[in-house]
Amino acid sequence: MSGQGEQSPGAWGTSAEMCSSSSSSFSVPPEGSKTHCISQTLFETLQEKGFSENAIKKSIVAGCVDAGTCTQWITMHEGHPELDTPLEDGVEVVVKGKRVLTEAEREKKVRELREKAKANIAEEKRAAIEKERERIAMGRKAIETQEMLEKLRRESELAEVRKQKEADRIAKRRVKVQILADKYVRQGNTKEEAFRMAELEFEEAAQKRRQENVQVESKGVENVRGSAPSTASWDIEGLIAQNTSLSDVFNTPPAPLSLLPRLVDGVRNHEDAAMAHQCLAVLLTILRNIRENPFDAKKRSLKTTTGAFRMRIGPVPSAIQLLRTCGFQLATDENGNESIILTTVVLRVIERAIALLSQET
């Protein structure tokens, strides 16, 4: 077995073929060129391992491309007589140092990085705004869908109520006609004649009632035309004193926004201090719920039949006027139940009212 120092030139060439040329630490020279390049970092790494400069350059000439392949090649050929011989004539290995940027290049690089970061921030903001718009659009669409379904439900219930009323009307008519027919049968008429006479009497009575209703309505219209025209200004104290319904109150124009402070003062200065305190708390709760959940239809609807409304808001005229100014409107369902609904939320007005109600006296 021959020693390491007796390796043949063939073994030398075979070792060179083991090296790859895909690393950035080694620059493959153009075909026909005898100039090879090695990075400063790789050169210093191999020197730290104790390899000579000549051995390192020989490994590069052999085709090694990184620290691993160079180390393997030098170790395999350690003791070989050609390892320490100078490079062949015309063959050169250049150590490429790391290029240092000039001041102008550094400033340009910094500007590019800052512009890129600024562009990234702008893109993130744009994406966030677009996402928020999509969320709002989806929320509005969900509300519209919910309102449409609610409308369909109410229409269906109303149709069912009308159908039931019509069935009740027909049943009542049938019973009344039967009672009249039985009376005529007892008077000696045949069933056919009795039913015919009963139908005729029932229709005559119904026609008479319709005429009486028309006369009553005509008198009511004449009385309204002859009365003095009503003012468009709010007189809620007078309306409540006259036991006027909320529908009459909400048919008047709302007070202007500039009167919100006076309305809040009216709530605070109510003759019943305890009721005024409770009314302020309820109003704040209602408006804050709307501010936090502007798309929640339940938060924007107040039933006038609830105890909270009848006991804490209804007796305070300024509170009702404040809700009217905030945009609440009166609505009545098919069963005649009244609710106060805020169909359009104007956050600026809601915030203003909350701020005034939250102020300490």
Side-chain angles (χ1 to χ4, degrees):
M1 180 180 295
S2 60
Q4 290 180 339
E6 299 178 357
Q7 292 181 6
S8 64
W12 183 278
T14 303
S15 300
E17 294 173 357
M18 295 171 56
C19 299
S20 170
S21 60
S22 60
S23 173
S24 60
S25 299
F26 169 72
S27 299
V28 179
E31 187 175 355
S33 173
K34 293 185 179 182
T35 300
H36 303 266
C37 298
I38 180 174
S39 68
Q40 181 73 29
T41 303
L42 177 58
F43 187 80
E44 293 175 354
T45 300
L46 295 173
Q47 279 188 325
E48 290 174 357
K49 292 185 177 183
F51 300 138
S52 65
E53 178 180 346
N54 196 73
I56 295 171
K57 291 182 177 181
K58 284 289 184 84
S59 67
I60 295 300
V61 173
C64 299
V65 295
D66 54 24
T69 55
C70 288
T71 301
Q72 182 183 8
W73 188 91
I74 295 173
T75 303
M76 289 177 59
H77 295 84
E78 188 175 0
H80 195 284
E82 295 186 13
L83 189 62
D84 295 323
T85 59
L87 297 175
E88 297 179 1
D89 294 339
V91 178
E92 182 183 8
V93 176
V94 179
V95 179
K96 297 182 64 176
K98 188 175 181 181
R99 183 173 177 272
V100 179
L101 297 177
T102 63
E103 186 66 24
E105 289 175 335
R106 282 198 299 270
E107 292 179 356
K108 181 180 179 182
K109 190 69 175 179
V110 170
R111 285 197 302 269
E112 291 177 353
L113 293 175
R114 287 178 178 174
E115 290 176 358
K116 185 176 181 180
K118 187 176 180 181
N120 291 338
I121 294 174
E123 178 63 21
E124 291 176 358
K125 289 183 178 179
R126 187 198 64 78
I129 293 174
E130 186 65 24
K131 186 176 180 180
E132 180 65 14
R133 287 177 179 173
E134 292 178 357
R135 186 189 67 80
I136 294 175
M138 291 178 62
R140 289 177 178 173
K141 187 175 181 180
I143 291 176
E144 292 175 356
T145 302
Q146 184 177 359
E147 291 178 350
M148 182 184 68
L149 293 176
E150 184 67 18
K151 180 180 178 181
L152 293 175
R153 184 190 64 80
R154 290 196 300 267
E155 291 178 352
S156 177
E157 292 178 353
L158 182 59
E160 186 65 25
V161 170
R162 289 174 178 172
K163 182 179 179 181
Q164 185 62 39
K165 287 183 178 180
E166 181 65 16
D168 293 342
R169 186 189 67 79
I170 294 174
K172 289 180 181 179
R173 183 181 187 281
R174 186 185 304 112
V175 171
K176 290 181 179 180
V177 170
Q178 184 65 49
I179 292 173
L180 292 174
D182 292 342
K183 181 183 71 172
Y184 287 121
V185 168
R186 289 194 297 270
Q187 292 177 359
N189 297 289
T190 62
K191 287 185 177 182
E192 291 77 6
E193 292 177 349
F195 271 102
R196 182 178 58 79
M197 296 171 66
E199 290 278 358
L200 182 60
E201 182 177 346
F202 183 84
E203 291 298 334
E204 289 177 352
Q207 181 66 22
K208 184 178 180 180
R209 286 194 300 272
R210 286 194 290 269
Q211 291 177 354
E212 291 175 353
N213 291 335
V214 171
Q215 293 176 358
V216 171
E217 291 177 359
S218 299
K219 290 181 180 180
V221 171
E222 292 176 357
N223 292 335
V224 171
R225 290 176 179 175
S227 61
S230 59
T231 60
S233 61
W234 270 78
D235 186 16
I236 192 166
E237 290 84 354
L239 292 172
I240 293 179
Q242 299 173 9
N243 295 323
T244 307
S245 65
L246 283 175
S247 60
D248 294 331
V249 174
F250 276 82
N251 283 335
T252 60
L257 298 180
S258 59
L259 294 182
L260 272 178
R262 292 179 56 186
L263 296 177
V264 174
D265 291 340
V267 176
R268 286 199 177 98
N269 299 328
H270 190 262
E271 57 185 6
D272 189 336
M275 181 178 293
H277 180 73
Q278 294 177 352
C279 183
L280 286 172
V282 173
L283 289 174
L284 274 173
T285 301
I286 293 171
L287 296 179
R288 284 171 177 168
N289 287 338
I290 294 174
R291 181 183 62 182
E292 298 299 327
N293 305 278
F295 298 118
D296 190 344
K298 292 183 179 179
K299 304 293 185 183
R300 297 184 280 111
S301 178
L302 308 175
K303 292 184 178 180
T304 60
T305 56
T306 61
F309 186 89
R310 290 187 294 105
M311 303 299 295
R312 300 179 182 179
I313 297 180
V316 184
S318 296
I320 301 177
Q321 189 172 357
L322 187 145
L323 293 175
R324 181 78 173 96
T325 302
C326 288
F328 280 84
Q329 298 179 0
L330 187 66
T332 306
D333 61 15
E334 62 273 8
N335 296 324
N337 299 321
E338 292 181 337
S339 299
I340 297 178
I341 300 175
L342 183 61
T343 56
T344 303
V345 178
V346 182
L347 289 178
R348 176 176 58 85
V349 178
I350 300 298
E351 291 283 1
R352 176 62 175 159
I354 291 174
L356 292 171
L357 291 169
S358 302
Q359 291 177 357
E360 297 292 338
T361 56

